[in-house]
Amino acid sequence: EIPERAGVLVFAPQIASGATLLHVLEQLEQRGVSGMRLRVITALAASPGLKNLGERYEDLTIYTGCIDAELSADQQILPGFGDAEQRLYGLGQMNFVG
């Protein structure tokens, strides 16, 4: 349970298509957290993912270190700096893009 007046900060290592973050935001919304109570921090975001999030959550505040213009066919951020989650958490094989 999240208190009614509590703010919520979500850390997303990267935002590519926005699908993963949309899922998290929908879960928070079901618990009554949205709008001004919510902030997202990410190291890297792709324009298509930001567009998807903005279409669904117009009042969402996102802080990012960098915005890259596009996604590859396999949904990797271009030019990007590789998979931020893999670098941060050491998951799987690291594939560095551009």
Side-chain angles (χ1 to χ4, degrees):
E1 189 172 309
I2 300 172
E4 185 176 316
R5 295 183 53 129
V8 175
L9 184 63
V10 176
F11 173 70
Q14 66 183 16
I15 298 171
S17 70
T20 301
L21 185 55
L22 278 172
H23 180 70
V24 170
L25 297 177
E26 288 166 357
Q27 290 179 336
L28 286 169
E29 190 173 46
Q30 290 174 2
R31 291 167 175 78
V33 178
S34 62
M36 297 301 295
R37 295 179 55 201
L38 185 60
R39 299 288 187 272
V40 175
I41 297 176
T42 184
L44 178 65
S47 292
L50 294 174
K51 181 178 182 291
N52 289 340
L53 290 165
E55 288 172 350
R56 175 65 174 84
Y57 295 98
E58 294 178 5
D59 59 352
L60 179 63
T61 301
I62 300 174
Y63 300 97
T64 184
C66 180
I67 299 173
D68 281 339
E70 59 188 327
L71 296 173
S72 67
D74 60 347
Q75 302 297 295
Q76 295 292 314
I77 299 173
L78 294 177
F81 54 70
D83 189 316
E85 290 173 324
Q86 288 176 346
R87 284 185 179 205
L88 186 61
Y89 302 118
L91 302 174
Q93 183 179 354
M94 294 174 63
N95 298 318
F96 297 102
V97 179

